[in-house]
Amino acid sequence: MELSARKKQILKRVIEDYIASAEPVGSKAIAQEMGGSVSSATVRNELAELSDLGYLEQPHTSAGRVPSPKGYRLYVNELMERREVSAAEAEEINETLQDKMSAAGSMISQAGQMVSSIVDYPAYAVAEGKSGVTVKRFELLGVDDTSFITVVMTDDSRVKSQLQRSPLAFDRARLTDLSALLNTHFTKQSREEMSAKLMGLSDQIAPELFLVLSATVGYAAEILEETAKKDVFTTGASQILKMPEYRDLDKAHDLMTFFVDNKENLPVPEDDTPLKILIGPENVNEALRDTSVVVASYDIGDGMRGLVGVVGPTRMDYATVTARLSYFADSLTRMFGKSELPPKEEKE
C-alpha cells in the first residue's frame, strides 16, 4: 500500500523525533510540530494506521509510538534528507586521516578507530582477503644438515621466510635441485593443486628430501591461506553504554561481547555496493537484531577492498552517519590510490 503524503510526513517526524530523544513520540507533539495544520485527533488516527501497517510500534498502551524496522527502512530509502558533510566535518576527517597516514596494513587496523571517533558509535574495519594469489618463486637456503630457510615470494610481491627443521639429515647441496623442482612444478598453483602434486612425488624423492619439500609446500600453503583470510578490527565497544537502548547492562554486555569476541561474524557485504544499511532483523546474526549496521567500502588497490562499518541502535542518526562514513571511505580510496586528500577549508 502506497502511503499518502501526510502519512509519510508524520512518519518522518516520528522517526526524527525518536532519533533525537530516544522517547516514544505522541500525537500532540507531532501536531504542534506541524503548526496546527492537522489536529491531534487526526495525527492520532494516522499514527494508528501507520502502526497497523507495521511502520510504527507502541511500546505500551498509553505510550506514544516508536519506529519499527519497516518504518526505518522506508525512511532510509525515501524520506531521509540526504546530506553532505559540512566543511568542519570534512576538515575533521581529513585531519584525522593525515595524522594517521602510514602503511596500508597499519591504516586498515586504525580505520575503525578513526570512524568511531568521527560518528561516536562502535565501529569496525575489515581488510578482505585476496583470493587467487599464488607463489611466484621459491628459494631454499641451507643452514646445517637438519635446518634450512624457506623463502616464498607470492605473485602480489610479498616475500616471507621461515627457518624450518627436518627430523632427518639431508645433503644441503641438493637444496638447489629442490628449489628448481619447486619453481618448475609448484608455482602458479592453488593450495589444493600444490598438495596434489606433492603427494604425486612421495615415492619419487628420497625420504629426507621429501620431508624438506613437504615442509616447504606446507609453509607456502599457510601463506596463501593467510592471504585469503579477512582481518577484522573492532573499536569503540564502550560507546554502547552511552545509548539509552542499552541501559540494561545485561543487554549491553551481550552486544559488547559479540562485538569483541565474535567480530568475524559482523556483516561483510559480498557485493560492491559503496554503502549498505542493515536495519534490525535485516542483520542475520541474532546478536544484531536490535541494531543497525552501516558499512562502506573503499579500494585498497591491487584488486583488494577494505570496509568500515558502524554499529548502533536502530534509532541511529542515519543521515549523519551515512554522510560521514561515505566521505571517510572516499578519502581512503583517494589515499590508497596515491592521490591527495581534499584540501583543507581555509578559515576566515
Side-chain angles (χ1 to χ4, degrees):
M1 174 183 174
E2 178 67 22
L3 297 185
S4 67
R6 185 167 69 187
K7 279 187 172 63
K8 288 182 178 180
Q9 183 183 13
I10 290 173
L11 178 61
K12 182 174 184 289
R13 289 183 179 275
V14 170
I15 291 175
E16 291 181 349
D17 283 1
Y18 185 66
I19 286 174
S21 68
E23 297 291 341
V25 182
S27 57
K28 184 177 179 181
I30 296 298
Q32 288 175 345
E33 289 179 23
M34 297 178 72
S37 60
V38 292
S39 66
S40 292
T42 300
V43 174
R44 193 158 45 247
N45 289 336
E46 295 282 36
L47 292 176
E49 289 186 28
L50 286 167
S51 297
D52 290 341
L53 292 169
Y55 293 100
L56 296 176
E57 296 171 349
Q58 192 170 24
H60 308 289
T61 306
S62 60
R65 262 64 174 194
V66 300
S68 68
K70 182 179 178 181
Y72 282 121
R73 174 48 62 194
L74 181 65
Y75 174 76
V76 167
N77 289 354
E78 297 184 29
L79 309 179
M80 181 176 74
E81 295 177 12
R82 309 290 168 176
R83 53 158 294 205
E84 301 293 331
V85 295
S86 66
E89 290 172 315
E91 183 175 8
E92 177 190 355
I93 293 170
N94 291 339
E95 286 182 348
T96 300
L97 282 167
Q98 287 164 345
D99 288 344
K100 299 287 187 180
M101 284 187 74
S102 58
S106 175
M107 173 62 73
I108 291 166
S109 67
Q110 296 168 357
Q113 182 179 351
M114 289 186 275
V115 167
S116 183
S117 70
I118 290 166
V119 300
D120 294 326
Y121 287 117
Y124 63 100
V126 181
E128 287 197 321
K130 192 172 182 181
S131 59
V133 175
T134 60
V135 177
K136 182 178 181 180
R137 182 168 180 79
F138 290 92
E139 200 71 48
L140 298 178
L141 306 173
V143 177
D144 55 36
D145 291 342
T146 58
S147 303
F148 61 99
I149 295 173
T150 297
V151 182
V152 176
M153 175 185 287
T154 58
D155 56 14
D156 63 342
S157 300
R158 301 186 194 194
V159 179
K160 300 261 188 175
S161 62
Q162 185 180 78
L163 174 65
Q164 302 200 79
R165 291 182 171 81
S166 173
L168 297 179
F170 55 85
D171 181 358
R172 279 183 283 172
R174 297 297 305 278
L175 293 182
T176 301
D177 296 334
L178 278 185
S179 294
L181 185 150
L182 285 160
N183 288 316
T184 301
H185 298 286
F186 290 87
T187 54
K188 299 182 180 180
Q189 304 290 309
S190 67
R191 286 179 291 143
E192 293 76 17
E193 290 170 332
M194 286 196 298
S195 178
K197 286 195 173 183
L198 179 65
M199 291 302 100
L201 295 171
S202 59
D203 58 353
Q204 301 178 36
I205 299 177
E208 68 277 12
L209 294 179
F210 182 77
L211 287 174
V212 173
L213 183 66
S214 179
T216 301
V217 171
Y219 176 56
E222 289 175 9
I223 293 173
L224 298 186
E225 182 179 14
E226 190 65 31
T227 302
K229 282 183 179 178
K230 65 180 182 184
D231 288 323
V232 183
F233 308 91
T234 61
T235 188
S238 61
Q239 298 275 14
I240 292 168
L241 299 174
K242 299 177 183 178
M243 304 173 194
E245 292 85 350
Y246 294 95
R247 291 191 183 114
D248 182 336
L249 292 182
D250 288 337
K251 186 176 180 182
H253 176 267
D254 290 344
L255 181 56
M256 291 174 72
T257 299
F258 173 83
F259 194 70
V260 174
D261 295 340
N262 298 289
K263 58 187 181 181
E264 291 77 12
N265 295 319
L266 285 161
V268 178
E270 297 296 330
D271 55 34
D272 292 328
T273 306
L275 188 79
K276 192 150 193 169
I277 301 173
L278 301 170
I279 300 171
E282 294 172 4
N283 288 291
V284 176
N285 197 289
E286 189 64 32
L288 300 174
R289 304 287 269 187
D290 292 328
T291 71
S292 283
V293 179
V294 183
V295 188
S297 66
Y298 58 92
D299 287 331
I300 299 175
D302 296 326
M304 295 179 69
R305 184 176 67 137
L307 298 105
V308 281
V310 174
V311 179
T314 51
R315 186 185 53 84
M316 179 186 290
D317 183 352
Y318 296 97
T320 297
V321 169
T322 54
R324 293 181 179 179
L325 195 60
S326 294
Y327 185 89
F328 181 83
D330 289 344
S331 296
L332 282 177
T333 294
R334 287 190 290 270
M335 178 180 293
F336 285 117
K338 307 303 181 186
S339 61
E340 295 181 358
L341 293 172
K344 294 181 180 180
E345 294 287 332
E346 293 294 332
K347 296 182 180 178
E348 297 183 358

